[in-house]
Amino acid sequence: CSPHRGAAGCPSAGQVRAAFLRFFQERHGHHRLPSAPLRPRGDPRLLFVNAGMNQFKPIFLGTVHPRSELAQHRRVVNSQKCVRAGGKHNDLEDVGRDTYHHTFFEMLGNWSFGDYFKEEACGMAWELLTEVYEIPRDRLYVTYFGGDPSLGLSADEECRDIWLRLGVPASHVLPFPMKDNFWEMGDTGPCGPCTEIHYDHVGGGRNAAALVNQGSPDVVEIWNLVFMQYSREVEGNLLPLPQHHVDTGMGLERLVTVLQNKRSNYDTDLFTPILDAIHKGYRGPRYQGLVGDADVGHVNMAYRVVADHVRTLCVCITDGIYPGLSGAELVLRRILRRAVRFCAEVFHAPPGFLASLVPTVVEVLGDAYPELTKNADQIMDLINENEAAFLSSLERGRRIIERTVQQMEPSANFPAEVAWSLYGNLGFPLDLIDLMLEEKGISLDSAAFNKLALEDAKRKAGGPQAGRVEDTNTCLDVHSLAQLQSSNMPATDDSPKYAYALGQHGQYEFSPCQATVLMLYRDQSLRKEVGAGQRCGVILDRTNFYAEQGGQASDQGYMIHLGQQDILFPVESVRLCGGYVVHEVTAVETLRAGDQVQLFVDEAQRLACMTNHTATHLLNFALRHVLGDNTEQRGSHVTAERLRFDFDAKGPVTVEQLQQVEQVVQDVIKRNEVVHMAEVPLTLARRVQGLRAVDEGYPDPVRIVSLGVPVESVLTCDSEAAMQTSVELCCGTHLLQTGAMEDLAIISERQLVKGISRVIAVTGGQAKQAREVGQCLAMEVDSVSLRMKQRSTSIPEMQNLSKEVGQLTKVVASTAMPQWQRKELQTILKALQRTANTAIKKLEVQQAEEKAQSVLAKHCNQPVIIDTVPADSLSILMKVVNQLCDKSPGTSVLLLSPQASGEVFCACQVSKNCLPAFSAADWAVAVCAQMEGKAGGSPVVAKGSGNAKGMQGALNTALEFAQSKL
């Protein structure tokens, strides 16, 4: 298993990785699994796979399907691709500033699922490090969990003793508290103590114990072994797991640094070939590993950023995550743009430089991940395509920042409006803006920026009416409209909004638009000029922006003064008022009537709206096809994120009907039907048989949108073509072919009022993700169902199953997934909850009866029974008391039940013959007060709890109280 050492006596990264996998596979019988893709499957809480254990979560949580391949594994080893950028684990902004942070890294790991535990795990780790990798033993330190009295957890002395038996000196075996040596998956679920192995880079016989876990670059953690032996419950208490697991993780980059006698990951052969390739293209100074002030011109930082980011881009694109506009795709776009910026501004490299590094990355990682070799050309094409789009924006953004800084007062903050424009319109990541400003010694006005971001979020979250704080600037009042009309101001020509076509490679190309400012509008008055920093409405002679109408959200984007590329006027919303299209704009500089401007629509947002609007038409047709011709539209709203559709319905739509509707839509998508659009006279349009039109005023001529059938055919006399497809009057913007929709999933369906239903649907990647999540949740429900059928006789096990069903019910109700599947799963979960509750009740009654018989035999025919009884819950204890009083009606009973947590349950019932002198509530209060607890109830029955320390005194108090009342 030993790694073959090269000429310099150090193993290569490939040899280190191979030796790890071979060691566990060949010497210790582990099954080798390939790395899971970087896109987490069925876990919407994660942007990327960020740890080796992600794919094994179902095993740890006990939700794995018993018949699945995953459930068969007992010992597993692999090298997992991981990305930490965005979300909770976010290393993106630190990458480049130091010599050890990365966005992409490889996690070497071995796992045991109910097989071996601490002894074997520690032994294997020590054997690998000291015998296979031949790391000097005196440089290694191990830590173990030192205990937590507040949780009743003692130190993990078992682990400590294992290390001592393996020959680790006592001075190198160190206890640490919960924050360092206790691992938890989340707020609830599997958890347990861990033991970490640390390496001292300095060595030389010194004792570096004092530097362990102190953030010293000289003493670093290289391996973490987690022993999952507890489950944290919703209440916060820890219960032992029925099956113990081992989960270990060791970063390949850090291990290679140790084995190649380096002090930085970037000095290993995982990075040096990429750094050499950068130097070859850069032709400037070589990489020297400098940081901070020593790194003049940020050249070394740029080397690290580009080397790290190009690795991340390669592995993500290969796994189907492409730079985009939301979620993981947005994070990847930020990574790409950050790398491009350093290539352009620090290395002064020509376009295509970043993509030219891909073959080197493939050379370094291709043997371990063969999919990289297969996708190299696609990776380069995507990087080049995205780089070209960003470079033009980058140059413009740099000029905007330069120009704004020149006009600023000394020591002033950078204006938030300009930063927001860069962020929203040119796609600049916020950390990139901060970085460019930091280089100039300037800060951003963060409070003002956050306020703009909050307003934008409210606007997006609330739909068409949200965030209308500036209605006074976009909705022309009656007097201003009359003034415009009396001065013969021409209505805005908005026909350029339809000027788009499919390019050679199937991409949408939007034609540019040049316009003249006719008038400005602010605070309910028309103006010829508006000053910098003010929001206003801009009325143009023509526009390619879509104004909010017909249920479709308005376009966003920006405009620039003709010939002045470095001043962007963000367009935040667009409205149509009396034939005039009013653009809501933040004036970065003075705007005047007569200014010539060029308009740029946010193409990604527009395309998403087009996709969802065409999907809305298709959904309308599918609902009519499945539910009947009397299904009429009652309203709709289309945004870039999703679509909403309201319609007549006699009752809730069934699971089968929802599935049929989705199938009709998917059939049309697969056929990639052409979307035909044409303007025709309104009288002619209204004659079309089967035409779908909502009750609203349409212009004349009116626009017809027909899926798959040319408008001329639809208009032919006696044509029934419109009965077989979607034909609607619509002024919205649409796809040119249905295939670009990719998929549609209805993720919500409910009755708004009697007779009217509302569906919400998503398309494309969001629909695909919703289906993946649905499949994963279905597997979890199936797993619980199978375990429920095994009918455990243990009350805690049944209670845990019941709790799991409750948690799954919440997740199923709140997660974006196909609605038909949600309804199916909710029906199953409801039945499972009933089954669990019935089983628990039955087991509790059965257990209570057994305990009652035992207590009754011990205290035969006594007027008062006071005793301690083991019971898993207060509910069972109450049932024991009830049974005792039923079997012996003249007896008053008080029982205590000590719990493993240190709590004591108390339950009592007083015979009716003893009322009113003897009260159960008073009895329980007196007893629980002795245990520093609380109680309550009625004169007949009462319950409470307290602390075990006072239990003996409580039993004495119970007897004294009863004797005083009887």
Side-chain angles (χ1 to χ4, degrees):
C1 294
S2 294
H4 302 290
R5 295 182 178 266
C10 296
S12 69
Q15 290 165 346
V16 171
R17 187 194 296 110
F20 181 92
L21 298 171
R22 205 162 51 238
F23 172 81
F24 284 101
Q25 191 176 3
E26 295 176 6
R27 281 201 198 178
H28 297 286
H30 287 60
H31 179 69
R32 180 176 169 181
L33 285 182
S35 170
L38 278 163
R39 187 188 290 281
R41 186 166 172 77
D43 192 343
R45 293 156 291 195
L46 277 181
L47 291 173
F48 302 95
V49 165
N50 59 18
M53 54 73 64
N54 287 161
Q55 65 175 312
F56 305 119
K57 267 188 185 180
I59 297 178
F60 300 140
L61 292 169
T63 58
V64 65
H65 195 294
R67 292 196 297 269
S68 70
E69 189 182 351
L70 197 60
Q72 312 313 312
H73 296 311
R74 289 292 170 266
R75 297 181 174 207
V76 166
V77 63
N78 89 337
S79 176
Q80 174 63 48
K81 296 176 286 188
C82 300
V83 169
R84 290 188 180 173
K88 180 183 170 186
H89 297 288
N90 183 5
D91 289 348
L92 177 57
E93 291 177 27
D94 293 318
V95 172
R97 295 176 187 273
D98 54 43
T99 61
Y100 50 88
H101 272 99
H102 304 292
T103 49
F104 163 70
F105 63 97
E106 295 176 72
M107 185 71 85
L108 302 172
N110 62 291
W111 287 267
S112 163
F113 307 123
D115 189 350
Y116 61 80
F117 203 45
K118 295 179 185 178
E119 183 94 40
E120 297 91 334
C122 294
M124 291 176 200
W126 193 248
E127 180 187 358
L128 176 67
L129 294 179
T130 61
E131 294 179 22
V132 177
Y133 289 138
E134 298 175 3
I135 297 175
R137 294 167 182 242
D138 63 348
R139 289 200 179 201
L140 296 174
Y141 295 79
V142 293
T143 65
Y144 66 94
F145 178 51
D148 191 320
S150 66
L151 289 171
L153 292 173
S154 56
D156 190 358
E157 293 176 356
E158 178 192 1
C159 180
R160 180 199 64 191
D161 294 344
I162 290 167
W163 287 118
L164 293 173
R165 285 199 300 274
L166 285 168
V168 184
S171 60
H172 285 221
V173 183
L174 313 167
F176 279 90
M178 200 132 184
K179 73 179 181 70
D180 295 305
N181 278 81
F182 196 91
W183 185 89
E184 305 202 45
M185 187 182 288
D187 295 333
T188 59
C191 56
C194 63
T195 182
E196 294 176 344
I197 304 172
H198 295 249
Y199 175 79
D200 177 17
H201 276 287
V202 176
R206 71 169 185 165
N207 188 325
L211 297 176
V212 172
N213 276 339
Q214 299 304 311
S216 167
D218 293 335
V219 181
V220 294
E221 175 209 334
I222 55 172
W223 205 347
N224 187 10
L225 286 64
V226 178
F227 307 122
M228 294 193 197
Q229 60 189 94
Y230 301 108
S231 173
R232 188 174 289 284
E233 301 301 293
V234 177
E235 298 82 12
N237 57 311
L238 295 172
L239 292 180
L241 278 174
Q243 212 176 35
H244 291 172
H245 306 299
V246 174
D247 161 21
T248 86
M250 175 158 58
L252 174 68
E253 292 77 8
R254 198 172 279 187
L255 175 63
V256 173
T257 302
V258 168
L259 295 178
Q260 293 183 357
N261 298 317
K262 306 294 183 187
R263 294 300 297 271
S264 161
N265 299 352
Y266 290 95
D267 294 333
T268 68
D269 65 346
L270 284 167
F271 288 92
T272 50
I274 305 169
L275 296 170
D276 289 343
I278 294 170
H279 174 253
K280 194 174 177 182
Y282 167 40
R283 301 184 190 282
R286 278 189 172 277
Y287 176 68
Q288 296 171 283
L290 302 174
V291 294
D293 293 339
D295 182 19
V296 179
H298 300 290
V299 172
N300 288 265
M301 180 179 178
Y303 267 108
R304 289 187 289 268
V305 167
V306 174
D308 172 89
H309 289 8
V310 73
R311 282 167 33 107
T312 305
L313 289 164
C314 287
V315 292
C316 284
I317 291 170
T318 296
D319 281 352
I321 303 171
Y322 305 144
L325 291 170
S326 63
E329 285 79 4
L330 178 60
V331 174
L332 196 65
R333 186 175 84 151
R334 291 177 63 196
I335 289 170
L336 185 141
R337 293 188 161 196
R338 195 164 181 252
V340 168
R341 187 252 165 159
F342 276 96
C343 286
E345 297 215 334
V346 179
F347 296 144
H348 306 292
F353 176 69
L354 186 62
S356 74
L357 303 173
V358 170
T360 309
V361 176
V362 172
E363 196 179 310
V364 173
L365 297 174
D367 287 345
Y369 308 108
E371 60 271 25
L372 281 169
T373 309
K374 196 170 76 175
N375 292 289
D377 290 341
Q378 183 202 16
I379 297 168
M380 292 173 74
D381 289 345
L382 267 165
I383 290 176
N384 280 331
E385 195 179 300
N386 280 272
E387 180 185 46
F390 183 52
L391 277 173
S392 60
S393 301
L394 182 66
E395 180 55 29
R396 191 180 300 169
R398 192 183 57 74
R399 288 203 308 269
I400 290 169
I401 288 176
E402 293 281 359
R403 194 171 188 281
T404 308
V405 169
Q406 286 169 13
Q407 294 175 350
M408 281 168 51
E409 295 287 331
S411 75
N413 281 337
F414 192 82
E417 296 82 8
V418 179
W420 181 254
S421 174
L422 289 167
Y423 177 76
N425 299 313
L426 292 183
F428 265 60
L430 186 56
D431 64 321
L432 197 56
I433 297 169
D434 283 336
L435 204 60
M436 292 171 84
L437 293 177
E438 183 187 304
E439 289 171 4
K440 298 184 180 301
I442 295 168
S443 300
L444 173 64
D445 185 348
S446 298
F449 184 91
N450 291 338
K451 188 181 174 188
L452 290 170
L454 191 62
E455 284 176 14
D456 183 66
K458 282 181 183 173
R459 189 183 292 112
K460 284 177 179 170
Q465 299 307 316
R468 285 261 178 248
V469 290
E470 295 296 332
D471 258 357
T472 52
N473 293 333
T474 53
C475 190
L476 297 172
D477 66 285
V478 65
H479 305 294
S480 298
L481 268 171
Q483 194 179 332
L484 288 170
Q485 287 156 358
S486 64
S487 62
N488 294 319
M489 186 76 73
T492 309
D493 172 16
D494 65 351
S495 60
K497 69 188 177 190
Y498 299 125
Y500 53 88
L502 281 173
Q504 189 180 348
H505 302 293
Q507 78 281 14
Y508 278 80
E509 294 175 348
F510 296 85
S511 301
C513 182
Q514 195 173 314
T516 304
V517 177
L518 298 179
M519 192 61 71
L520 301 161
Y521 184 71
R522 179 173 166 78
D523 297 335
Q524 294 191 305
S525 67
L526 295 169
R527 303 183 179 202
K528 293 277 188 183
E529 184 177 304
V530 167
Q534 295 184 318
R535 279 191 178 179
C536 65
V538 180
I539 302 167
L540 304 169
D541 63 336
R542 62 199 306 269
T543 184
N544 59 348
F545 276 76
Y546 183 85
E548 186 178 309
Q549 56 187 317
Q552 180 178 329
S554 76
D555 281 336
Q556 292 180 328
Y558 62 94
M559 59 178 72
I560 60 170
H561 275 126
L562 206 60
Q564 274 190 305
Q565 298 288 313
D566 54 348
I567 304 171
L568 272 67
F569 297 88
V571 178
E572 291 168 23
S573 66
V574 189
R575 295 193 74 176
L576 184 64
C577 297
Y580 300 102
V581 177
V582 186
H583 307 71
E584 185 186 4
V585 165
T586 300
V588 180
E589 279 203 345
T590 302
L591 263 176
R592 297 180 180 85
D595 284 353
Q596 299 289 300
V597 292
Q598 195 163 358
L599 309 177
F600 295 88
V601 167
D602 182 330
E603 294 180 6
Q605 191 227 12
R606 161 69 81 83
L607 184 55
C609 282
M610 286 160 53
T611 301
N612 287 343
H613 203 149
T614 304
T616 305
H617 284 215
L618 196 41
L619 183 64
N620 189 359
F621 165 71
L623 285 164
R624 179 182 50 164
H625 183 82
V626 173
L627 303 180
D629 284 340
N630 57 351
T631 306
E632 292 291 338
Q633 179 178 344
R634 287 288 172 234
S636 68
H637 186 242
V638 173
T639 68
E641 289 77 30
R642 55 179 52 189
L643 63 99
R644 189 190 75 212
F645 190 80
D646 302 341
F647 59 97
D648 288 336
K650 291 176 182 173
V653 186
T654 66
V655 166
E656 293 74 20
Q657 287 170 332
L658 285 167
Q659 288 174 311
Q660 288 167 19
V661 168
E662 284 190 1
Q663 191 57 56
V664 170
V665 173
Q666 282 157 10
D667 289 345
V668 179
I669 292 171
K670 280 176 190 166
R671 292 201 299 269
N672 198 19
E673 301 277 20
V674 173
V675 180
H676 300 275
M677 292 168 272
E679 282 194 347
V680 299
L682 188 56
T683 50
L684 193 59
R686 289 203 182 277
R687 291 184 203 150
V688 175
Q689 291 188 57
L691 179 76
R692 312 299 283 174
V694 292
D695 186 18
E696 64 176 52
Y698 288 98
D700 192 6
V702 69
R703 192 171 173 82
I704 287 186
V705 178
S706 170
L707 301 190
V709 180
V711 174
E712 308 84 70
S713 303
V714 168
L715 293 172
T716 306
C717 199
D718 298 327
S719 168
E720 292 189 356
M723 306 290 285
Q724 311 304 320
T725 187
S726 165
V727 180
E728 296 194 30
L729 302 183
C730 181
C731 61
T733 58
H734 287 270
L735 293 174
L736 300 175
Q737 289 180 273
T738 58
M741 211 179 298
E742 295 178 3
D743 192 6
L744 177 139
I746 296 169
I747 58 170
S748 170
E749 183 275 326
R750 64 186 179 91
Q751 280 202 296
L752 286 181
V753 292
K754 190 173 174 60
I756 296 181
S757 280
R758 167 173 289 178
V759 294
I760 293 172
V762 290
T763 57
Q766 282 179 286
K768 183 184 175 188
Q769 189 176 7
R771 292 192 194 286
E772 283 183 0
V773 169
Q775 285 170 356
C776 288
L777 286 173
M779 285 173 68
E780 288 189 35
V781 172
D782 198 15
S783 169
V784 173
S785 187
L786 279 169
R787 283 179 283 141
M788 194 78 79
K789 283 175 186 169
Q790 291 164 4
R791 290 296 172 103
S792 168
T793 54
S794 158
I795 290 174
E797 277 184 32
M798 285 307 297
Q799 285 173 330
N800 280 338
L801 271 176
S802 173
K803 215 176 281 181
E804 201 175 318
V805 170
Q807 288 169 342
L808 263 177
T809 301
K810 285 180 186 174
V811 173
V812 166
S814 61
T815 303
M817 62 187 291
Q819 179 68 6
W820 63 264
Q821 196 169 28
R822 189 195 318 277
K823 285 188 169 187
E824 276 189 350
L825 296 182
Q826 284 174 328
T827 303
I828 296 167
L829 287 166
K830 202 171 181 182
L832 287 175
Q833 194 68 71
R834 278 200 303 270
T835 303
N837 292 346
T838 304
I840 290 167
K841 197 171 182 182
K842 193 175 174 183
L843 286 168
E844 284 184 347
V845 169
Q846 188 181 324
Q847 197 180 100
E849 199 166 334
E850 290 168 5
K851 291 181 188 297
Q853 289 283 14
S854 170
V855 172
L856 206 57
K858 186 178 171 185
H859 302 273
C860 195
N861 298 324
Q862 291 186 17
V864 176
I865 295 175
I866 297 166
D867 208 340
T868 59
V869 173
D872 290 329
S873 69
L874 188 52
S875 167
I876 295 173
L877 193 65
M878 277 303 310
K879 285 184 174 69
V880 176
V881 169
N882 296 152
Q883 296 247 14
L884 281 168
C885 290
D886 287 347
K887 293 176 191 296
S888 178
T891 303
S892 297
V893 180
L894 183 143
L895 298 179
L896 298 181
S897 179
Q899 302 297 301
S901 63
E903 191 179 14
V904 176
F905 295 146
C906 169
C908 64
Q909 185 169 331
V910 168
S911 169
K912 288 177 182 174
N913 305 337
C914 302
L915 296 173
F918 194 3
S919 161
D922 294 344
W923 198 12
V925 167
V927 170
C928 289
Q930 276 292 316
M931 300 186 292
E932 299 176 352
K934 292 181 179 179
S938 69
V940 178
V941 292
K943 59 185 176 181
S945 64
N947 195 304
K949 289 175 186 173
M951 193 170 77
Q952 193 52 52
L955 288 167
N956 297 335
T957 300
L959 185 59
E960 289 165 10
F961 187 94
Q963 287 171 341
S964 71
K965 301 294 179 183
L966 293 175

